[in-house]
Amino acid sequence: MPPKKPQPIRNESKPKGDAVEGPLLQAVVLADSYNRRFEVLCLDQPRVLLPLCSTPLLSWTLESLALSKVKQVFIFCGVHADKIRDFVASSPYNSTLDIQCLSSKTARTAGDALRELDAMHVLDPEKPFILVQSPIISNYDLSKIVDAHKKRREVDKNFIMTMGIGRGGRRHPESPIMLVHPASSRLLHYVQQPLSPAPLRVTFPASIFLDPFPVDMDSYEVWSGPSASSSRGGFRDLGIDICEADIPALCTENFDYHDLRRHLVNGVLTSELLGKKIAVHLVGSEDDEEVKGDHRSGSGGKYVERVRDTRTFAEITRDMLRRWAFPLAPDLNDPSGVQYELRKGNVYIARDNVVLSRTTTLRGPLLIGPRSALNHNTLVNQSTLGADCSVGPNTTITTSYIFDDVRIGANCLLEECIVGKNVQIADGVKIGRGVLIGDGVKLGKGAAVPDFARIGRERYRPDNFDSDDEDEDEDDEVDDPRRLQVLGPDSVGFIWPQEEEEPPSDSEDEGEDPFEHPRNKRLLQLGRTLSNLTASSASLSTLSKASSSPPESPMSGASDDSLPDMPSLILDSGPPAAFYSEASASIARAYEEGHSTENAALEMKTLVMGYNAGIDRAREEIMKFLLGKVDASGKLGDVLTSATKVFSRWGGMVKEFSPSDPTNIALDAQLFSRA
Amino acid sequence: MVSQILLKPSDPNAKLTEALITSLRRREIVGSRNVALATAAVVQNIVRSVKFTTIEELIGLIKGVGRRLVDANPKELAAGNIIRRILRLIREEYSAAVQAHLSTTPSAPGTPDLGPETPGLHAPQNHYLSFMTDLAFSTPGSGPSSSLPLQRQTSLSNFVAMRHSRAQAQMERAGSALDLSAATSSLFTSPGRSDSADGRWSNTNLAGLSSRRGSDDFGKQAGRLKPVLVQAIDEVVNELETTHEDVAKGAKEHIHSSEVILTLGHSKTVEAFLKQAYRDRKFTVIVAESAPSYLGHSMASSLSASGIPVLLIPDSAVHAVMPRTTKLILGAHTVLANGGLFALAGALAAALAAKAHAKPVVVTTGQFKFAPAWNLYHEYGAADLQSPGAVLGFDGDGSVDGVEGVVPYYEYIRPELVNLFVTNEGDHSPSYIYRIIKEAYDDVDVEL
């Protein structure tokens, strides 16, 4: 039967406050990302309204939540709150869900959002709610996590939060390392582990293992992200939390909680005063007891992902087109009501006046929105095109995500990019990998956009940009030489600085978010490959090894190299910084005042005892100092004589500190020279 | 029939409809029977509570709801089938009432005091169609007369005038019909009894009513028909609920002792069919496990729980065991008008294997799965492709991007691969399905 056009019969509004049977499940969606990853695309609209497969992310999120039997949704909006309100008012979800938009201009972090949420008193303090931090795509019934959470709370009232954890998935630059007790699904420790620069060691606070010593310590497990080297999938944080009312209250009490993971989770876990616990819930782990009747969902294939950055945006789009999130697929369940025809090879074509030339080549998975027109000899490969797009002849579009109303000229080449709404691309434009083009940009004829460039309709504004001095720099942008050189004279748009060039955000806390490290942030971009990283990370990690924390012994160093993305689990985090300063001061004094090696070594040993530092650290420190005294500026012969001079005088001291294995000295020397 | 009234948003029915649409869309309700029951329930609620003055309004409204239900999940054709069936019943009740009204003018319809008057003036006009419908009843091989559908008892007793008119119409028809089924003739002999089994088959076309003018003022009072209409839908629901038993009634005619039956998946119809047959015959069942849904597992345990010897085999062994089987019994998701059907993935392989080994293929299905659709199998998406997660596993190794998984849930089986359809209303060959569909639904409803 030929499916028909969607019916525009929609209920306008829904009387609020009618009794809903069953427990009212509430969810909070944070519409703002509190980071700048999508910023260039988000000039006119919030991130949650960006279209994924031609449907706003918010629609998919609401759909996922509705699938989880959520009845009431609070959308916490930051910027563009009016847009979200309009969208919600006109969306069909308005009739099936109770959606309330809360807006706040002042919230700058997720912690702020929770504080304001607490102040608004909209949540039911008796019941847990689902906190969704970023737009999610899920075919998993999240209410199962809620049920498990309630069950856990019956046993132990101190569980105030349950984090959803998924198995497997792809590698992602933002993945945590968790110490978990699986039997009670209690989370003991949570560390963020950026992929680059990869930290070499994970520190678990001793308090976990002491006071009293856990008898079931053998059953503790370390869960970390999926890695390239292991064939078994790892664990990933889904960004979906089941929170009790205590969580917003805690945020109110601790005004320095900003990041939910780094501050809130770690705060709760490390605070002994609080005595609260956090649980983890592995998605799909409850399937064993599930009734067999629910066969259509299958045993596997629970898909829960969130859009965190342009990289995941692309990945999730592809997954969606490959029907991983079934029944969330464009042809069956498109929340915006557009009907798509599914053709072989996961090719989705809207059933609304799409014009394809006979010479158009389509390689799935791809999606072409309503009323789009593709001219002859176009090649579309694993991409999505929004509504009302037109593509000129001989143009190739590969793994790109193009939003609505985009005009693309002839002989263009688009490769792995995201193109915003109303963008006009003239003939012969070449767009490189990872490029983000904001709404309303015009690219002139023959422009060649370099890889990973970001082009916005307005100029880039740093974090501390003050909108007052906006009009002053209005005129000097015209003669920006780089802009002209790259985009050509006909273009309308500004090249934004590369993400890694961006000045680091001025967060006042000393523990900078490791994921916001520029090197890690690059990896969040569309088009960056992580497989290259494993090759290059060896050099990266050895560099950081030498500079930050040298390995304790050759053994641990070797194991690190074999598993470059899995830091060695050394529970001893080394002596405090005071040891290093005292040690170097002591050696410097001995060197300048000409102490005997025996006396200097004795003083050093006292320090080692005092700080419980271990002689390896002391030897490293000595080597560092001595090698620093070697004059390495001259010719090779001069360097050698200078080194011989230093080590004939002070070499005995190093020997004192390497009782067993003299190769350690060589290793230390090597580390020093690398640093 | 252009007039359409829409449900007001505040109407609880609108909410019910919306809820059904979303749960269809989200695949919370799956399976032909569940969809059919849910659809019937919603329509019944609408008929019960909505205010309508003319029957066209009601029909337009139900059609609109049906269209949206079909759009919500175009692969669940049962929703559309039930809507068409109900529409047909409504028209029929209405026309019967109109006849009664005309024959008893000027008294108002529904007054149950009128004796049988001469209904002759209207009978010939539905003569041609009634001839065909009678034919449907007398299909060779149709079950015993007791299994005839829709025993319309209560609705007619409520509405005596209509009953009379209908009984008279029956008499008229009986004179000209070629072949009278047992039920019809019993009715013919005792027109006072209220179980006229065939009310819904009196195929009166509203538009074709010759006495339009007479029905105009009557049409204004169509609201009075409400209890009858509600009851008519009740019958549809009852029929749906007893589908499995009705299909299974003739089971022992189809299965002989010591047969080896191959089936796959977990069709409730097949399950009831086999269990019923096992009361009289002793046979063995081989169940293919039907990966990746593994519905065969639950089928096997259910059958063995009732004492049937069961062998569970992997799907790959279907061809290998085929020489040892005597029959392949399949359940259907939807039967199309050409006699082809959609069945659980794996059924096509089994049907082809059966063909290769010249084993009969029997499809057990309720007639509510017969859909007036022909071209669905041309669409790639009609196979209802599922998430590759069931076969690949998102939570396994990280090889998500490298492999493309294609996991159809249904397969289209060509009519020539099927030997027999065993339905709740008799057994039919694939070539006859189009006829049943034509008779079951009004032509105007084929496109909802």
Side-chain angles (χ1 to χ4, degrees):
Chain A
M1 162 173 315
K4 289 120 209 148
K5 295 275 173 291
Q7 285 300 297
I9 313 166
R10 291 293 184 207
N11 298 330
E12 283 306 301
S13 69
K14 176 199 163 202
K16 296 273 194 287
D18 54 331
V20 189
E21 60 288 331
L24 187 84
L25 193 51
Q26 294 177 317
V28 175
V29 177
L30 299 186
D32 218 328
S33 58
Y34 307 113
N35 59 40
R36 312 188 67 182
R37 290 166 192 172
F38 280 96
E39 196 184 8
V40 69
L41 297 166
C42 293
L43 221 54
D44 301 328
Q45 55 186 351
R47 181 188 58 164
V48 283
L49 294 185
L50 291 180
L52 184 135
C53 293
S54 281
T55 303
L57 286 168
L58 186 60
S59 285
W60 293 117
T61 305
L62 291 176
E63 185 74 35
S64 305
L65 289 175
L67 214 58
S68 313
K69 305 182 188 75
V70 170
K71 294 278 186 271
Q72 194 173 29
V73 180
F74 297 97
I75 301 176
F76 196 90
C77 321
V79 285
H80 303 299
D82 46 333
K83 292 257 167 67
I84 297 178
R85 263 176 227 281
D86 292 349
F87 172 79
V88 166
S90 62
S91 83
Y93 297 102
N94 216 6
S95 59
T96 50
L97 291 172
D98 180 7
I99 305 176
Q100 292 181 27
C101 294
L102 316 167
S103 64
S104 154
K105 294 263 182 219
T106 51
R108 300 195 39 99
T109 62
D112 286 342
L114 283 186
R115 273 187 280 282
E116 301 207 0
L117 204 63
D118 191 37
M120 287 175 191
H121 297 291
V122 286
L123 291 164
D124 187 343
E126 298 301 311
K127 291 197 201 89
F129 63 94
I130 301 176
L131 177 64
V132 178
Q133 291 176 45
S134 6
I136 53 166
I137 312 278
S138 142
N139 60 3
Y140 177 73
D141 187 353
L142 299 174
S143 65
K144 284 179 190 155
I145 309 185
V146 179
D147 292 343
H149 173 79
K150 282 181 184 154
K151 221 174 273 173
R152 257 175 236 127
R153 259 179 83 83
E154 277 168 21
V155 181
D156 190 343
K157 274 281 178 203
N158 285 327
F159 280 115
I160 54 166
M161 181 168 154
T162 297
M163 289 162 51
I165 304 293
R167 290 297 298 269
R170 298 186 186 78
R171 295 177 75 207
H172 190 271
E174 294 180 346
S175 49
I177 290 181
M178 292 167 280
L179 183 67
V180 176
H181 181 228
S184 65
S185 31
R186 185 180 160 197
L187 179 70
L188 295 155
H189 193 62
Y190 186 100
V191 200
Q192 286 176 318
Q193 183 214 6
L195 215 52
S196 168
L200 280 165
R201 51 183 71 180
V202 176
T203 315
F204 291 128
S207 57
I208 297 173
F209 307 102
L210 303 169
D211 204 31
F213 182 78
V215 274
D216 48 1
M217 192 177 152
D218 287 346
S219 59
Y220 283 8
E221 283 180 14
V222 173
W223 290 0
S224 67
S227 67
S229 48
S230 81
S231 61
R232 260 194 64 177
F235 297 83
R236 68 208 145 91
D237 186 351
L238 299 176
I240 298 164
D241 304 328
I242 315 300
C243 302
E244 290 291 333
D246 306 44
I247 295 289
L250 262 176
C251 283
T252 312
E253 284 165 29
N254 301 279
F255 55 87
D256 55 339
Y257 283 0
H258 293 298
D259 186 277
L260 291 186
R261 290 288 181 260
R262 210 150 35 94
H263 299 132
L264 176 78
V265 168
N266 276 334
V268 171
L269 289 177
T270 50
S271 162
E272 280 162 26
L273 281 175
L274 215 53
K276 299 292 185 194
K277 294 174 186 168
I278 291 178
V280 288
H281 184 87
L282 206 53
V283 161
S285 61
E286 68 291 300
D287 275 352
D288 306 335
E289 62 241 45
E290 214 175 303
V291 275
K292 287 233 167 173
D294 184 28
H295 59 267
R296 287 298 292 271
S297 54
S299 52
K302 295 278 184 288
Y303 186 87
V304 190
E305 274 290 1
R306 59 181 159 142
V307 177
R308 292 181 268 185
D309 40 52
T310 45
R311 157 182 289 276
T312 44
F313 181 87
E315 286 170 353
I316 291 170
T317 305
R318 285 201 298 270
D319 285 346
M320 182 74 92
L321 295 177
R322 290 195 170 116
R323 310 179 75 79
W324 278 97
F326 179 91
L328 267 66
D331 66 321
L332 322 162
N333 201 358
D334 197 273
S336 60
V338 181
Q339 299 232 346
Y340 289 94
E341 184 195 346
L342 171 61
R343 300 188 184 170
K344 259 175 208 166
N346 290 331
V347 171
Y348 299 83
I349 311 280
R351 295 183 198 273
D352 188 2
N353 296 314
V354 172
V355 181
L356 298 177
S357 160
R358 257 209 287 176
T359 46
T360 296
T361 312
L362 299 177
R363 293 202 195 120
L366 62 86
L367 177 136
I368 294 176
R371 299 173 299 280
S372 288
L374 275 72
N375 231 310
H376 57 82
N377 281 330
T378 42
L379 167 70
V380 182
N381 184 11
Q382 309 200 358
S383 304
T384 64
L385 265 72
D388 305 295
C389 290
S390 75
V391 181
N394 304 318
T395 289
T396 299
I397 300 173
T398 302
T399 47
S400 298
Y401 309 93
I402 293 162
F403 298 169
D404 296 350
D405 265 318
V406 175
R407 309 257 161 277
I408 301 174
N411 303 312
C412 293
L413 176 64
L414 279 76
E415 209 180 336
E416 223 167 347
C417 56
I418 299 181
V419 179
K421 258 198 274 187
N422 297 316
V423 171
Q424 299 196 14
I425 299 175
D427 295 355
V429 172
K430 194 170 173 301
I431 299 178
R433 277 191 308 138
V435 172
L436 309 182
I437 297 177
D439 294 356
V441 167
K442 280 185 190 142
L443 292 181
K445 207 167 178 176
V449 183
D451 288 359
F452 303 109
R454 297 184 297 167
I455 300 175
R457 198 183 55 213
E458 286 164 30
R459 355 190 59 202
Y460 176 74
R461 297 171 187 197
D463 268 336
N464 45 9
F465 184 82
D466 199 356
S467 55
D468 294 340
D469 46 44
E470 194 173 358
D471 17 36
E472 294 164 26
D473 47 21
E474 205 54 57
D475 37 9
D476 59 280
E477 63 208 18
V478 186
D479 41 319
D480 181 351
R482 193 160 157 233
R483 188 187 84 86
L484 283 175
Q485 183 198 333
V486 173
L487 300 180
D490 312 331
S491 306
V492 177
F494 301 95
I495 294 190
W496 286 24
Q498 298 269 316
E499 296 230 12
E500 55 264 44
E501 296 168 10
E502 268 177 40
S505 54
D506 51 341
S507 57
E508 52 282 351
D509 55 320
E510 66 283 356
E512 178 69 33
D513 189 347
F515 294 157
E516 293 294 325
H517 188 286
R519 218 191 278 163
N520 200 52
K521 242 163 82 175
R522 312 174 32 184
L523 297 174
L524 301 174
Q525 283 178 319
L526 177 75
R528 301 266 186 201
T529 48
L530 292 185
S531 51
N532 286 356
L533 186 75
T534 31
S536 63
S537 73
S539 61
L540 280 177
S541 61
T542 42
L543 275 177
S544 58
K545 210 182 287 175
S547 58
S548 58
S549 52
E552 240 182 6
S553 65
M555 272 308 288
S556 77
S559 67
D560 272 358
D561 284 333
S562 64
L563 284 168
D565 25 32
M566 177 69 196
S568 57
L569 296 169
I570 304 164
L571 298 179
D572 169 26
S573 61
F579 166 75
Y580 292 110
S581 58
E582 287 232 10
S584 59
S586 154
I587 307 166
R589 204 165 47 244
Y591 183 83
E592 274 153 33
E593 294 170 15
H595 294 178
S596 74
T597 46
E598 287 78 23
N599 283 346
L602 194 67
E603 198 174 335
M604 198 55 143
K605 273 180 182 159
T606 341
L607 275 177
V608 168
M609 297 293 185
Y611 284 98
N612 191 21
I615 55 169
D616 289 325
R617 300 275 163 46
R619 189 189 58 246
E620 282 160 31
E621 205 51 41
I622 298 166
M623 281 298 286
K624 213 163 101 189
F625 179 79
L626 293 181
L627 289 168
K629 289 296 166 199
V630 174
D631 180 18
S633 57
K635 281 196 215 124
L636 205 62
D638 300 341
V639 175
L640 194 64
T641 43
S642 139
T644 330
K645 210 176 91 195
V646 171
F647 276 91
S648 59
R649 168 75 175 84
W650 294 101
M653 194 170 159
V654 187
K655 246 182 256 168
E656 284 274 324
F657 283 88
S658 58
S660 53
D661 192 358
T663 47
N664 281 338
I665 302 173
L667 275 172
D668 289 341
Q670 214 175 351
L671 282 174
F672 174 82
S673 48
R674 273 206 212 136
Chain B
M1 229 180 306
V2 199
S3 69
Q4 272 216 10
I5 52 168
L6 298 177
L7 292 172
K8 282 177 218 72
S10 56
D11 195 328
N13 281 316
K15 220 166 271 173
L16 272 178
T17 318
E18 204 65 44
L20 178 60
I21 285 170
T22 41
S23 54
L24 275 176
R25 211 156 54 77
R26 295 188 183 129
R27 308 292 176 106
E28 286 164 355
I29 298 183
V30 286
S32 296
R33 189 158 165 270
N34 300 339
V35 171
L37 282 171
T39 309
V42 164
V43 175
Q44 194 171 28
N45 266 317
I46 289 174
V47 171
R48 191 175 284 146
S49 58
V50 99
K51 294 230 179 342
F52 57 93
T53 46
T54 67
I55 203 79
E56 282 85 359
E57 276 181 357
L58 182 67
I59 288 174
L61 179 68
I62 294 175
K63 260 194 165 182
V65 169
R67 198 159 37 221
R68 295 178 60 201
L69 290 179
V70 170
D71 281 344
N73 188 348
K75 282 149 207 159
E76 294 286 4
L77 293 167
N81 295 346
I82 288 300
I83 295 282
R84 291 186 187 99
R85 183 78 148 274
I86 289 170
L87 286 177
R88 163 105 183 198
L89 287 183
I90 289 173
R91 288 206 188 90
E92 192 177 281
E93 294 286 358
Y94 176 72
S95 65
V98 170
Q99 306 294 359
H101 175 74
L102 287 180
S103 58
T104 61
T105 358
S107 83
T111 43
D113 54 345
L114 293 151
E117 295 190 15
T118 53
L121 90 154
H122 68 272
Q125 110 226 292
N126 50 12
H127 189 193
Y128 166 69
L129 285 167
S130 61
F131 153 70
M132 292 202 310
T133 47
D134 279 348
L135 206 85
F137 268 92
S138 55
T139 311
S142 74
S145 59
S146 59
S147 74
L148 276 165
L150 292 187
Q151 312 259 314
R152 174 164 311 203
Q153 277 123 1
T154 39
S155 77
L156 291 178
S157 60
N158 281 353
F159 210 78
V160 182
M162 199 178 73
R163 178 194 70 196
H164 279 302
S165 74
R166 185 128 21 122
Q168 297 296 345
Q170 205 67 55
M171 283 204 258
E172 288 288 312
R173 210 187 303 165
S176 54
L178 288 183
D179 191 354
L180 267 174
S181 72
T184 321
S185 40
S186 80
L187 192 126
F188 178 53
T189 50
S190 60
R193 271 190 64 220
S194 55
D195 62 348
S196 84
D198 55 326
R200 76 202 172 85
W201 300 109
S202 82
N203 196 348
T204 320
N205 204 336
L206 260 191
L209 269 181
S210 58
S211 43
R212 215 45 171 125
R213 66 214 134 45
S215 66
D216 277 351
D217 56 331
F218 179 80
K220 296 282 191 303
Q221 301 157 8
R224 295 207 195 175
L225 279 174
K226 202 173 266 184
V228 193
L229 300 182
V230 170
Q231 235 143 8
I233 299 171
D234 255 341
E235 283 160 16
V236 175
V237 175
N238 285 340
E239 190 200 329
L240 283 173
E241 278 165 353
T242 58
T243 302
H244 297 330
E245 293 89 78
D246 290 343
V247 174
K249 250 170 206 155
K252 70 166 187 264
E253 313 295 325
H254 294 280
I255 298 179
H256 310 295
S257 283
S258 71
E259 270 202 280
V260 179
I261 310 285
L262 178 69
T263 187
L264 67 151
H266 193 168
S267 158
K268 292 282 191 313
T269 322
V270 173
E271 184 188 348
F273 189 82
L274 293 174
K275 282 181 177 170
Q276 175 70 31
Y278 199 73
R279 292 188 189 163
D280 303 300
R281 311 262 191 257
K282 297 295 161 247
F283 54 88
T284 307
V285 180
I286 300 178
V287 184
E289 64 174 1
S290 323
S293 59
Y294 298 108
L295 290 171
H297 292 183
S298 61
M299 176 70 141
S301 50
S302 159
L303 289 179
S304 71
S306 39
I308 305 176
V310 181
L311 280 168
L312 184 69
I313 56 163
D315 298 334
S316 49
V318 161
H319 207 281
V321 300
M322 196 54 88
R324 301 194 166 252
T325 62
T326 54
K327 199 168 274 160
L328 171 64
I329 299 186
L330 297 174
H333 171 64
T334 292
V335 180
L336 302 181
N338 63 348
L341 69 143
F342 278 96
L344 188 73
L348 179 60
L352 286 169
K355 184 94 176 168
H357 291 101
K359 306 291 181 191
V361 177
V362 176
V363 175
T364 59
T365 171
Q367 285 205 352
F368 70 93
K369 292 181 184 174
F370 287 17
W374 280 264
N375 58 347
L376 198 67
Y377 55 91
H378 293 305
E379 277 207 27
Y380 176 69
D384 200 12
L385 295 153
Q386 307 273 301
S387 156
V391 285
L392 280 175
F394 192 71
D395 40 7
D397 46 10
S399 66
V400 182
D401 275 327
V403 186
E404 200 95 19
V406 180
V407 188
Y409 193 80
Y410 298 122
E411 266 172 350
Y412 174 67
I413 298 175
R414 299 190 300 277
E416 56 267 31
L417 294 174
V418 181
N419 295 83
L420 188 68
F421 284 96
V422 176
T423 73
N424 49 342
E425 289 168 32
D427 310 337
H428 308 288
S429 78
S431 58
Y432 194 68
I433 300 296
Y434 83 99
R435 198 68 244 176
I436 296 170
I437 287 171
K438 182 135 180 73
E439 283 151 11
Y441 312 117
D442 283 337
D443 288 348
V444 283
D445 296 333
V446 168
E447 288 277 321
L448 270 177

